[in-house]
Amino acid sequence: LRQTCLANHEFDFAVNAAVTAQQEFLFAASSGLLQPDQVRDALGKYAVSMALTSSWHRYTEDELQRAVRYQERSISLGNDGAEAWGYLIDLKIALFDATGDREPLEAAQTLAREQSLRLHEARAQLKIGLAPPSKSRTERMQIFKSAVELAKSSDTPKSYSARAERDLLIDLALEA
């Protein structure tokens, strides 16, 4: 039988490696020794590694806020593709997950809408529907229905994991 990555602890190793890389990116970005385009890349890579590991590694509010600031700075320096915006949205959602503060979640939803990132918008909307303070059942059902429609109308994700996320989000919203 083939063992899964989880059984081999390869997944844990990958998360730990990304967390270690964050320290290197943070050092590089704050060293004062990089050229502007290198600073942009270091800031973005730091923030992306935070976004990618935030589901498996517990970060403080300050760490997540720094990652948001760094990704915003990276975007302002020219790293402004759709993926960069998506990671910024992911970080704002992670900040909500860590703090329970709805402001970054609502900001994530607005940003996703502005950038036409429907799958990200659907994710934020689903979390809004599930987050306290609870709305009425009818209002929540409307939020979930809207999240499903957003996810369905999103461009077909290129990667398997993104397609799986879209399908899972649709299932979760339908079951909520």
Side-chain angles (χ1 to χ4, degrees):
L1 292 174
R2 181 185 158 121
Q3 293 181 325
T4 66
C5 290
L6 291 174
N8 288 335
H9 303 286
E10 292 173 15
F11 189 75
D12 291 339
F13 178 77
V15 171
N16 289 335
V19 171
T20 300
Q22 288 167 15
Q23 296 165 353
E24 299 295 328
F25 296 136
L26 182 58
F27 174 77
S30 60
S31 70
L33 302 174
L34 301 180
Q35 298 298 318
D37 61 326
Q38 294 170 318
V39 170
R40 177 198 63 219
D41 291 344
L43 291 172
K45 287 177 181 180
Y46 170 79
V48 166
S49 67
M50 291 279 292
L52 291 175
T53 58
S54 64
S55 294
W56 298 280
H57 186 80
R58 187 174 304 228
Y59 293 109
T60 67
E61 180 178 356
D62 289 342
E63 289 170 324
L64 289 165
Q65 287 176 340
R66 177 176 56 211
V68 166
R69 285 192 312 272
Y70 282 11
Q71 186 65 358
E72 289 171 339
R73 178 81 173 120
S74 179
I75 289 169
S76 75
L77 292 171
N79 178 22
D80 58 358
E83 282 187 355
W85 289 103
Y87 288 123
L88 178 58
I89 293 163
D90 291 343
L91 287 165
K92 289 178 180 276
I93 291 172
L95 189 55
F96 161 76
D97 289 340
T99 65
D101 180 5
R102 290 177 63 97
E103 189 279 322
L105 181 57
E106 291 167 358
Q109 183 185 26
T110 299
L111 188 56
R113 187 177 306 117
E114 290 170 354
Q115 295 299 317
S116 299
L117 297 172
R118 289 190 171 113
L119 189 55
H120 284 82
E121 184 180 355
R123 234 176 92 220
Q125 192 159 342
L126 180 61
K127 284 193 174 270
I128 287 171
L130 294 171
S134 290
K135 298 181 179 295
S136 74
R137 178 166 172 72
T138 303
E139 290 172 314
R140 284 184 291 137
M141 294 309 293
Q142 186 57 40
I143 289 170
F144 299 145
K145 182 179 177 185
S146 178
V148 167
E149 293 306 315
L150 282 167
K152 285 181 177 179
S153 71
S154 67
D155 292 335
T156 302
K158 293 179 178 109
S159 72
Y160 171 79
S161 62
R163 286 191 305 274
E165 178 187 6
R166 180 196 59 199
D167 295 344
L168 179 60
L169 191 144
I170 291 169
D171 290 345
L172 288 172
L174 289 173
E175 290 178 14

